[in-house]
Amino acid sequence: MKNEYYCILDIGGTKLLALLVDSRRRVLYKEKFPTISGNTIDPLVDQICDTVERARQQLKKGTELARLGICIAAFVDYRTGDLYGAPNLKIREKVAFRDILHQRLELPIVIENDANAAVLGEVKYGAAIGARNAIYVTVSTGIGGGLFLNGELYRGNNSFAGEIGHLKLFGQDPCGCGMKGCLESVASGGAMGRIARKRISPQMSCATLFEESRRENKEAMRIVNKGLESLGLTFSNLITLLNPEYIVVGGGVSREGEPLLKEIGKIIDKYLSPPFRNSVKLVRAKLDPESGIWGVYSLLHDSWGD
């Protein structure tokens, strides 16, 4: 079987991770840097094209990139490659993302929502290997979700399924999507950090917020507890609705580790009906922060029948 080379990009609200990988899953080149965003898609497109060119320069003479794969924190129509907004990248309108990139790069391109890609990565190679029903939730700058149901990635009618961060709670906190009361507006790392900077200190980050909470700073504890309560309630509803084998948690906030998962687990049990208790494994993403990268790898490799 001919060895092929893929450039894979994970584009988040604050960072862009790029890998050059061959069809035998060997990483040949890796780079990470801040995501460039602006009032239009153009700065991001330029950054992607520059990154792909650097990846091409790593290849031996006579070899070429076979495909480009992208996972991005955005509302993505997987079939068309169009974006319908990316709140954390300041993209508010529909963008023919794949068409624009194809004109510049002349490569076959796959574009997937980052959390959709991440659940696929974790089921194929990570914390939920072999699962037929798994949910992935990333708790980072925002909150994203991916659904793997009955042995397949579930995208929904318009490829927007799994947007867990935009499930609504009873609240009025503004969200980057333009609505109020979204889970992301109170429980994401970005939101908790923003609230902490307003209520505690202008220098407060999400990481220092958790540190202060462990020191029993009362205001820090209130902010963290509200975020975790919101996550636990949402997870319990997802378990009741979808009855998964796994909920896999990734993203920056998940680095709080087992104590965080244990606390969320207690909240989940508080809200679950008895038949659902102990029916799901709540685990941290094994591939984090590369879950999405390896999900895209699976799409690039398997979708072409290699």
Side-chain angles (χ1 to χ4, degrees), residues 69-255:
I70 295 173
C71 57
I72 183 169
F75 296 97
V76 179
D77 188 330
Y78 176 79
R79 299 162 300 181
T80 64
D82 293 343
L83 303 188
Y84 285 79
N88 294 311
L89 289 166
K90 302 178 182 177
I91 299 170
R92 308 293 181 191
E93 299 177 352
K94 179 183 175 183
V95 177
F97 198 42
R98 187 170 67 195
D99 290 344
I100 293 169
L101 290 172
H102 183 71
Q103 290 174 7
R104 293 275 298 268
L105 296 168
E106 297 183 344
L107 277 171
I109 302 171
V110 164
I111 300 175
E112 181 59 275
N113 168 269
D114 59 345
N116 284 355
V119 75
L120 189 59
E122 291 294 333
V123 167
K124 291 281 187 176
Y125 311 111
I129 288 178
R132 287 187 55 79
N133 296 279
I135 299 171
Y136 173 89
V137 183
T138 177
V139 186
S140 193
T141 306
I143 294 178
L147 307 175
F148 190 83
L149 304 177
N150 291 328
E152 296 181 348
L153 185 60
Y154 182 77
R155 297 187 178 94
N157 185 49
N158 298 109
S159 299
F160 299 159
E163 286 293 342
I164 292 165
H166 300 290
L167 294 177
K168 300 300 183 283
L169 304 170
F170 288 106
Q172 292 298 311
D173 297 276
C175 182
C177 72
M179 301 294 287
K180 293 182 178 180
C182 295
L183 175 67
E184 182 172 300
S185 69
V186 293
S188 66
M192 286 190 281
R194 184 188 70 249
I195 295 167
R197 286 189 291 276
K198 182 178 179 180
R199 296 185 185 175
I200 303 174
S201 167
Q203 285 75 44
M204 188 73 67
S205 67
C206 184
T208 54
L209 171 67
F210 273 89
E211 289 175 7
E212 286 298 306
S213 179
R214 286 191 291 272
R215 294 190 183 107
E216 298 187 355
N217 177 312
K218 290 184 179 180
E219 189 59 38
M221 291 172 69
R222 275 192 285 268
I223 296 168
V224 169
N225 289 342
K226 182 177 180 180
L228 298 189
E229 187 79 12
S230 300
L231 286 171
L233 173 60
T234 301
F235 287 5
S236 72
N237 286 332
L238 292 171
I239 293 166
T240 303
L241 181 67
L242 299 173
N243 191 205
E245 299 164 66
Y246 288 88
I247 292 182
V248 182
V249 183
V253 174
S254 74
R255 291 177 198 139

Side-chain angles (χ1 to χ4, degrees), residues 269-290:
D269 284 346
K270 181 174 71 173
Y271 288 112
L272 277 180
S273 299
F276 290 96
R277 291 174 192 160
N278 302 314
S279 67
V280 63
K281 298 180 180 70
L282 181 65
V283 297
R284 187 179 171 196
K286 185 176 180 180
L287 302 177
D288 196 53
E290 297 183 3

